[in-house]
Amino acid sequence: MVETERQRIVIVGAGLAGALLACMLGEAGYSVGVYERRPDPRARGLTGGRSINLALSVRGIHALQRAGLAEAVLNDAIPMRGRMIHSPAGRLTFQPYSKNPNDAINSVSRGGLNVTLLDGARKHPNVRYHFEHRCIDVDIDKPSVTLLNTADNETTRVDADVVIGCDGAFSAVRARMQLVDQFDYSQTYLGHGYKELTVPPTRGGDFAMEPHALHIWPRGGSMMIALPNRDRSFTCTLFWPFVGPGSFKAVKSEDEIQRFFQANFRDAVELMPSLAEDYRRNPTSSLVTVRCSPWFYEDKVVLVGDAAHAVVPFYGQGMNAAFEDCVALVECLEQSKSDRHVAFERYFRGRKVNADAIADLAIGNFIEMRDRVASPAFRLRKRAEGMLHRLCGRWYTPLYNMVTFSRIPYAQARRKAARQNQILAVIGWTVAVATLMVILGLLWGLDMR
Amino acid sequence: MVETERQRIVIVGAGLAGALLACMLGEAGYSVGVYERRPDPRARGLTGGRSINLALSVRGIHALQRAGLAEAVLNDAIPMRGRMIHSPAGRLTFQPYSKNPNDAINSVSRGGLNVTLLDGARKHPNVRYHFEHRCIDVDIDKPSVTLLNTADNETTRVDADVVIGCDGAFSAVRARMQLVDQFDYSQTYLGHGYKELTVPPTRGGDFAMEPHALHIWPRGGSMMIALPNRDRSFTCTLFWPFVGPGSFKAVKSEDEIQRFFQANFRDAVELMPSLAEDYRRNPTSSLVTVRCSPWFYEDKVVLVGDAAHAVVPFYGQGMNAAFEDCVALVECLEQSKSDRHVAFERYFRGRKVNADAIADLAIGNFIEMRDRVASPAFRLRKRAEGMLHRLCGRWYTPLYNMVTFSRIPYAQARRKAARQNQILAVIGWTVAVATLMVILGLLWGLDMR
């Protein structure tokens, strides 16, 4: 393909979705310019901060395989094979995610993964990155983007054949599309926020807790989780209400922090020497669900990942869904080469229902994680699900496993789980009635003697 | 009150809400600057165009009374006492709105009403209007607004104590608030759009149809309505789907227009000499519902009317609800003089549930108007409702009447209507069972002979 014939694509945002998509479009031969507000993380060291650790699972791994990057990413990941539930008294219960010991979710650092993805485009000279370029305007009709170079304060306009918004939940590209007639849009915040804390390695340099698990301190209405890091520390994330009892507003002073954690997260407090300092220093961030429709404008602009469908993090699927978007978009462009508008329409139709499904599931999983994982009924149910899955794995797969360990589209997984639940209820009632009849029979038999 | 002590309020938008609020806040002694994008309608003649006629009812009238403007407005209005249903064959059925002949909704022209409201502030030298000033930025923390004078292309910044967004469904003030953490927002379009047409006066200079009615051509999935004007014409509005059969997309050529109207709106076609021209010339506009939360930022910024809660027009309550907002805001400011933040919070808490209720009711009424008003079951029900209302008006008032002819808060009206419907269902079943028993009894009696 001759350079002048190449379609010019501008990607706004070099985060996870933008960097992976750049690799894939580079491989497909497009001329790709990626513009990112932040400095190059490879030049200045990783940006830490507000992002919780990410759980990479089957959907994300599949997309990385397509880009030839799965191995490099998984080498830096820590597999987590189940949930480790911490009771208020500090008692531990391990709930494996699957009957299959190879089914694990993988704790990866956002910063490290981002660098791997950015390096992934090195072999494609047709992909060019421009850091410290903030998108300040988008002309969706040309299309073009106007960029402010924050290093030298110069403004430039870049024309393209396509502008792709990979610029996250607060997307500038989407903000421009919001002004288009008949563009549906919603942003909805949870009443809970999040804050990061740390469990450092032990003095002996080892993990302070089981590394191959996602740790949860469910506390009814709020929770803390912890994911392992390669340096043998854990990144903990508090999910608390902003206001009310046990909220970020109610727990402020050093004294309140210590007392509240002693009462609610006793076993964790011992492992967190810098608790009060981390708590005060680290920001409290919000959790937003973003939905919009459509995700494209003519054959000129299209949205990918959080820019199209930001979800709350409780199913660990935000990044995985964004990577699925990248695969879907590249496939649609491949299949409808002669008509980009058709490609975008097909991409949107295929992904939208699934993005809506995972958005709902993620909010539902928050309730499950904070309120129910600790209950005996929930544990009994999980055990029954696991048993059914082992016995008749062909027709029974728990919802969590379909979402996390398969590539069944999210909406389809949700429908299948609803059907399975109905069957489960019928079986449950049948067993209950049969048991009752046996008991009555025995009593009657005793009576006959 | 000394000028320097006055709180400076900037209102963005001199439409209906902005102009009424300016009168009220002027009366209350504030120093008010109103900035409006369009030119002064008093200088250049009324702007016609895309707005459907407005139906002023009790809530709006009450607010106008508070501002001393009700009489002037009602003098220019045409009362409509019921719905006139036009069947496809051209048969007319009149459905009165109420047992009370004084209960009427009032057809007013947006342009004329706007002028009356703008003139209403004449007696308050502390209210100043600035037309052709487009709000291009809002600093919600100062607060201040940046305005582009479209006459001379000069930009100015105006500082204030309070900025009030009365700038409609596509509010620039709200767009800035949307960037604030934890601001919930949604914009949702209907799949239907609207287009204006005209029924001019007859050759003899009279109304071509009954003037004291709101005319409806319900056609299942779409409809046309017509409201009378002071010049004895009617403004008709088509509410059609954008795509599909019988949509704006499907009906385009002169031939298609004539054929479609002949088949579906036969009696109207005769009265519309410029139908095809109007249809082609007038724009097709969208219908959007906007919800957001909260409607204020600290003690600095607050939203009123469509800017806070744009609704679809099918309950005729958009303007009436906006006028209720004005009264509520002025009352809250009066009651919490020392703490504007508290005033805004109380205003928001009081109005939000009601704005949500009327948004839902307006969408529901669209379905009722286009699909059900023509059905015999609906007419029977309306007649039963009217009878109950006449017989026991103290405890039974139809929902439409509570919304339109009372000031019962929208959310409360909706709850009351749900309870009434339950009672109605019980009565219906009782009557049905009693009737059945009487019939059976008669048959049995006949049998006995």
Side-chain angles (χ1 to χ4, degrees), chain A residues 120-260:
Chain A
R122 280 230 171 117
K123 60 181 169 191
H124 303 301
N126 47 325
V127 176
R128 276 172 301 269
Y129 279 101
H130 310 266
F131 291 91
E132 299 175 76
H133 278 72
R134 187 156 69 85
C135 171
I136 54 171
D137 197 18
V138 180
D139 183 331
I140 60 174
D141 280 300
K142 286 207 79 77
S144 71
V145 295
T146 305
L147 300 145
L148 176 69
N149 182 333
T150 51
D152 63 11
N153 240 13
E154 293 279 312
T155 298
T156 45
R157 205 188 75 184
V158 179
D159 295 324
D161 296 302
V162 183
V163 171
I164 305 184
C166 293
D167 48 345
F170 302 100
S171 168
V173 179
R174 189 193 61 227
R176 183 56 195 74
M177 283 171 71
Q178 199 188 306
L179 306 178
V180 175
D181 191 33
Q182 296 180 66
F183 184 80
D184 284 351
Y185 174 73
S186 79
Q187 59 185 45
T188 313
Y189 285 84
L190 288 190
H192 285 65
Y194 71 92
K195 187 191 280 289
E196 280 192 14
L197 301 171
T198 301
V199 167
T202 60
R203 280 199 197 155
D206 209 352
F207 284 105
M209 303 183 290
E210 164 60 46
H212 294 295
L214 191 158
H215 294 262
I216 311 183
W217 291 255
R219 292 297 178 265
S222 71
M223 68 170 177
M224 181 166 78
I225 66 169
L227 278 78
N229 295 314
R230 294 280 292 176
D231 67 359
R232 308 203 160 188
S233 68
F234 285 84
T235 301
C236 306
T237 312
L238 288 176
F239 294 99
W240 282 4
F242 282 108
V243 292
S247 69
F248 287 117
K249 199 176 174 186
V251 179
K252 287 231 154 147
S253 69
E254 170 119 21
D255 192 45
E256 286 164 344
I257 296 166
Q258 290 294 354
R259 252 188 305 143
F260 192 83

Side-chain angles (χ1 to χ4, degrees), chain A residues 65-82:
Chain A
Q65 280 165 342
R66 293 265 317 225
L69 295 167
E71 203 178 334
V73 172
L74 287 172
N75 274 343
D76 279 340
I78 299 175
M80 301 178 287
R81 301 208 170 79

Side-chain angles (χ1 to χ4, degrees), chain B residues 318-335:
Chain B
M319 168 185 64
N320 291 287
F323 286 1
E324 271 195 330
D325 286 354
C326 295
V327 174
L329 179 58
V330 171
E331 284 180 354
C332 288
L333 283 169
E334 183 67 26
Q335 283 158 23

Side-chain angles (χ1 to χ4, degrees), chain B residues 131-321:
Chain B
F131 291 92
E132 299 176 75
H133 278 71
R134 188 156 69 85
C135 172
I136 53 171
D137 197 18
V138 181
D139 182 332
I140 60 174
D141 279 299
K142 286 208 77 79
S144 71
V145 293
T146 305
L147 300 145
L148 175 70
N149 183 332
T150 51
D152 63 11
N153 241 14
E154 293 279 313
T155 298
T156 46
R157 206 188 74 184
V158 179
D159 296 324
D161 296 301
V162 183
V163 171
I164 305 184
C166 295
D167 47 346
F170 302 99
S171 169
V173 179
R174 188 193 62 225
R176 183 56 195 73
M177 285 170 71
Q178 198 187 307
L179 306 178
V180 175
D181 191 35
Q182 296 180 66
F183 184 80
D184 283 352
Y185 174 72
S186 79
Q187 59 184 45
T188 313
Y189 286 84
L190 289 189
H192 286 65
Y194 71 93
K195 187 191 279 290
E196 280 192 14
L197 300 171
T198 301
V199 167
T202 61
R203 279 199 197 155
D206 209 352
F207 284 106
M209 303 182 291
E210 164 60 46
H212 293 294
L214 191 158
H215 294 262
I216 311 184
W217 290 257
R219 292 298 177 266
S222 71
M223 68 171 176
M224 181 168 76
I225 67 169
L227 278 78
N229 296 312
R230 293 280 292 176
D231 67 359
R232 310 205 159 188
S233 67
F234 286 84
T235 301
C236 306
T237 311
L238 288 176
F239 294 98
W240 281 5
F242 281 109
V243 292
S247 69
F248 286 117
K249 199 176 174 187
V251 179
K252 287 232 152 144
S253 70
E254 169 119 23
D255 192 46
E256 285 163 345
I257 297 165
Q258 290 295 353
R259 253 188 305 142
F260 193 84
F261 275 78
Q262 279 293 347
N264 292 281
F265 307 99
R266 202 186 314 161
D267 64 331
V269 173
E270 298 164 16
L271 311 174
M272 300 168 123
S274 58
L275 167 64
E277 197 192 322
D278 289 352
Y279 185 95
R280 279 202 312 265
R281 200 190 46 208
N282 292 344
T284 306
S285 307
S286 295
L287 297 159
V288 68
T289 301
V290 170
R291 299 173 201 253
C292 65
S293 171
W295 294 355
F296 64 99
Y297 176 73
E298 297 178 357
D299 62 346
K300 295 168 181 168
V301 183
V302 66
L303 303 174
V304 169
D306 283 4
H309 52 87
V311 301
V312 293
F314 305 106
Y315 228 113
Q317 287 294 314
M319 168 185 64
N320 291 287

Side-chain angles (χ1 to χ4, degrees), chain B residues 18-29:
Chain B
L20 178 62
L21 190 58
C23 287
M24 291 179 159
L25 292 173
E27 179 75 35

